[in-house]
Amino acid sequence: MTICERFGRNVRAVRLAAGLSQEGLADLCGSGRTYISGIERGAENPTLSKSDDVASALGVTICELLLENIQPVAERVRAERRAVARARRNR
């Protein structure tokens, strides 16, 4: 697996854990949906600046998006999303 493929796989895992569509992520990081799709497929080679934009939009670091095992990060993002949803319901 190339570094672009790993980055893309991890972007997808965290995006799904965050409950975001490709379009939603694209809006948050100032990109197009097709560009996000290309990143997730490993077809795009994003610059460090764009990688940082994507990571920031997902609430993680670039380093986390390069990990071999993204599951703990995805679980943390999923738990944070649930906590926010609970807080909104309890207002």
Side-chain angles (χ1 to χ4, degrees):
M1 175 178 294
T2 69
I3 193 80
C4 289
E5 290 168 339
R6 182 186 315 154
F7 183 81
R9 177 200 65 192
N10 291 349
V11 165
R12 182 175 192 277
V14 175
R15 175 182 63 76
L16 293 174
L20 289 170
S21 65
Q22 287 180 340
E23 188 171 352
L25 176 57
D27 288 344
L28 289 173
C29 65
S31 295
R33 188 204 56 79
T34 56
Y35 185 68
I36 297 299
S37 174
I39 289 174
E40 290 184 359
R41 288 181 284 113
E44 294 288 346
N45 186 6
T47 63
L48 283 174
S49 178
K50 186 50 72 176
S51 298
D52 186 53
D53 292 345
V54 170
S56 294
L58 291 170
V60 298
T61 66
I62 293 173
C63 292
E64 288 173 315
L65 291 176
L66 294 173
L67 293 171
E68 288 281 340
N69 181 7
I70 195 65
Q71 290 310 317
V73 176
E75 288 300 321
R76 185 189 79 223
V77 169
R78 191 173 289 111
E80 289 169 358
R81 182 183 67 162
R82 288 179 186 146
V84 167
R86 268 193 306 273
R88 287 182 180 156
R89 281 194 306 267
N90 294 332
R91 284 187 192 170

